[in-house]
Amino acid sequence: MARRSDHTREQLTELVLGEAQRLVEAEGFKALTARRVAEAVGYSPGTLYNHFKNLDDLVVQVNARTLELLDGELAGAAPTGDPQADALALALAYFAFVERHPRLWELLFEYRLGQGSELPRWFTGRIEAILARMARVLAPLFAPGDTAGVEEAVQVLWASLHGIGSLATSGKLEVVTARSAAQLARSLVVHYVGGLGAARSGE
Amino acid sequence: MARRSDHTREQLTELVLGEAQRLVEAEGFKALTARRVAEAVGYSPGTLYNHFKNLDDLVVQVNARTLELLDGELAGAAPTGDPQADALALALAYFAFVERHPRLWELLFEYRLGQGSELPRWFTGRIEAILARMARVLAPLFAPGDTAGVEEAVQVLWASLHGIGSLATSGKLEVVTARSAAQLARSLVVHYVGGLGAARSGE
DNA sequence: ACCTGAACACCGTTCAAGT
DNA sequence: ACCTGAACACCGTTCAAGT
């Protein structure tokens, strides 16, 4: 058969990404298979490979949208100038997102790409944009020009929030605690950021 | 065919777990399939299901051994009574383990069990034993009897170390930083534990 | 240029048949 | 009691054949 007139190239790509996202939200990322997506959009499995390099490529493109959603969520937490309060607001916004879209969050951060698949540069750029939000908020805690200090703190918080989200979405947090992800995040931010401030004023 | 005289039940279980571990260490958990393990031990795939409920069950049993290894690693960091130094020693021992057995660590914490598979109770008990190590080390920071405070701090550190390990083993840390997992862990422990101490002395 | 459908090389899991 | 080997219902991915 020739190209079907049902959809343009762009429309079909859009359709596929939408169905993939729906599938993940409904059943988790183990349900995201090329064959099921193909069936959901009414094309044969082979057609997907005309639009995506492979399944990992499709995943990365769904994840790009998830990153956009997450960044939008964090944009709602406007900085006030108080590092501890602002960092806490970001952390709570982060977990509001995890709670609203746990399975998209898992696809974004827990799905392991095959070893042939590197993260594209535009993808890592989006993550850096999110980290930059945290950097702006923490900057007042550090001496002007101490970008290394700010960076390290941002990365520590980023990785730590990730860990809380990872244990929470996998059900491994409930095994060990009755506390919510948000409560652990609050303790993390309050005391880590507090510790940063204390170390600096004590120098 | 009847039972083969090659191995007793216990020997075969042992053999399977050993081969599964070897396979994961060599090629990562995506290479851990029932068929490959069966071939490695010289039995048919169906035989595995006589010894394990399913592949998740096999994974959990490999993970039990990994937890044992991890606990042994942490046992080497003997407490001195200084919470910050002791917590740091535990964190560094944790990442020494992650560095030595990254793929076993991934199977333990990043492999998602199917929804039919719950973690057995003896498994969660072993995790609690590890958390108890951290609790003993942090206890001096809290008022006597404030077990809730200790617990919360332990869980925050546990989840945060997990996050650093997760990003490190998935290659998502290098995307964002040149810092090592150990360096981020050091910053986390120093300032979080420092922040805990400051909050308490400032009460 | 792009879609189909078959094909290939894999999976996890079950189970009748054998000893 | 336990092992085999075939079977079932899936996978991701490729590609000749079609339009």
Side-chain angles (χ1 to χ4, degrees):
Chain A
M1 286 194 191
R3 174 201 285 134
R4 295 180 358 189
S5 56
D6 311 20
H7 304 97
T8 65
R9 179 167 191 84
E10 290 72 25
Q11 280 173 337
L12 183 49
T13 298
E14 199 64 22
L15 197 61
V16 167
L17 290 175
E19 281 300 329
Q21 182 171 332
R22 223 183 42 71
L23 207 48
V24 171
E25 294 224 54
E27 303 184 37
F29 66 66
K30 285 197 175 170
L32 181 61
T33 71
R35 288 169 191 265
R36 285 197 65 181
V37 172
E39 203 200 346
V41 298
Y43 283 76
S44 77
T47 293
L48 289 190
Y49 292 82
N50 210 302
H51 295 256
F52 301 90
K53 192 178 155 227
N54 52 33
L55 198 60
D56 276 357
D57 181 25
L58 201 165
V59 166
V60 167
Q61 297 204 36
V62 173
N63 284 345
R65 297 166 165 229
T66 304
L67 271 178
E68 212 75 53
L69 284 177
L70 175 57
D71 194 50
E73 182 87 28
L74 300 182
T80 67
D82 175 358
Q84 203 178 65
D86 290 346
L88 184 57
L90 278 178
L92 295 183
Y94 183 92
F95 284 106
F97 179 83
V98 173
E99 203 162 334
R100 188 149 52 249
H101 302 290
R103 287 167 159 173
L104 289 181
W105 187 90
E106 278 187 278
L107 186 72
L108 176 56
F109 288 124
E110 303 284 315
Y111 179 90
R112 307 296 238 209
L113 297 179
Q115 53 196 17
S117 309
E118 290 304 311
L119 290 177
R121 201 163 307 175
W122 56 261
F123 188 94
T124 64
R126 277 175 213 225
I127 288 182
E128 277 157 13
I130 292 180
L131 296 187
R133 286 188 188 281
M134 187 65 88
R136 279 194 293 278
V137 149
L138 295 182
L141 286 171
F142 293 85
D146 183 8
T147 54
V150 177
E151 270 182 11
E152 187 181 73
V154 166
Q155 291 157 10
V156 168
L157 283 176
W158 176 249
S160 298
L161 294 180
H162 172 81
I164 296 171
S166 171
L167 292 182
T169 57
S170 67
K172 283 173 182 153
L173 201 57
E174 296 132 50
V175 159
V176 143
T177 180
R179 292 177 178 80
S180 67
Q183 189 179 349
L184 296 184
R186 176 182 297 272
S187 169
L188 169 72
V189 170
V190 166
H191 293 114
Y192 180 72
V193 175
L196 286 174
R200 184 138 156 67
S201 58
E203 264 168 12
Chain B
M1 285 195 193
R3 175 199 284 131
R4 293 176 5 186
S5 57
D6 309 22
H7 303 98
T8 65
R9 181 167 189 87
E10 289 70 29
Q11 280 174 337
L12 182 49
T13 298
E14 198 63 24
L15 197 60
V16 166
L17 290 175
E19 280 302 330
Q21 181 171 334
R22 223 184 42 71
L23 207 48
V24 170
E25 295 224 53
E27 304 183 39
F29 66 67
K30 286 197 176 171
L32 181 61
T33 70
R35 287 170 190 267
R36 285 197 65 183
V37 172
E39 203 201 347
V41 297
Y43 283 76
S44 77
T47 293
L48 289 190
Y49 292 82
N50 210 301
H51 295 256
F52 300 90
K53 192 179 157 225
N54 52 33
L55 199 60
D56 277 356
D57 180 26
L58 201 165
V59 166
V60 167
Q61 297 203 36
V62 174
N63 284 345
R65 295 166 166 229
T66 304
L67 271 178
E68 211 74 53
L69 284 177
L70 174 57
D71 194 51
E73 184 85 28
L74 300 182
T80 66
D82 174 358
Q84 202 176 68
D86 290 345
L88 184 57
L90 279 178
L92 295 182
Y94 183 93
F95 284 106
F97 179 83
V98 174
E99 203 163 334
R100 186 148 59 248
H101 302 290
R103 287 169 159 171
L104 289 181
W105 187 92
E106 279 186 277
L107 186 71
L108 176 56
F109 287 124
E110 304 283 316
Y111 179 89
R112 305 295 232 213
L113 298 179
Q115 53 196 19
S117 309
E118 291 302 311
L119 291 177
R121 201 165 304 174
W122 55 262
F123 187 94
T124 64
R126 275 174 215 226
I127 289 182
E128 277 156 13
I130 292 179
L131 296 186
R133 287 189 187 281
M134 187 66 86
R136 279 194 292 277
V137 149
L138 294 182
L141 286 171
F142 293 85
D146 183 8
T147 55
V150 177
E151 270 182 14
E152 186 180 73
V154 167
Q155 291 157 10
V156 168
L157 283 177
W158 176 249
S160 298
L161 294 179
H162 173 81
I164 295 171
S166 172
L167 293 181
T169 56
S170 67
K172 282 173 181 152
L173 201 59
E174 296 132 49
V175 158
V176 142
T177 179
R179 291 175 179 81
S180 67
Q183 190 179 346
L184 295 184
R186 176 182 296 275
S187 170
L188 168 71
V189 170
V190 167
H191 293 113
Y192 180 72
V193 175
L196 286 175
R200 182 138 158 68
S201 59
E203 265 168 14

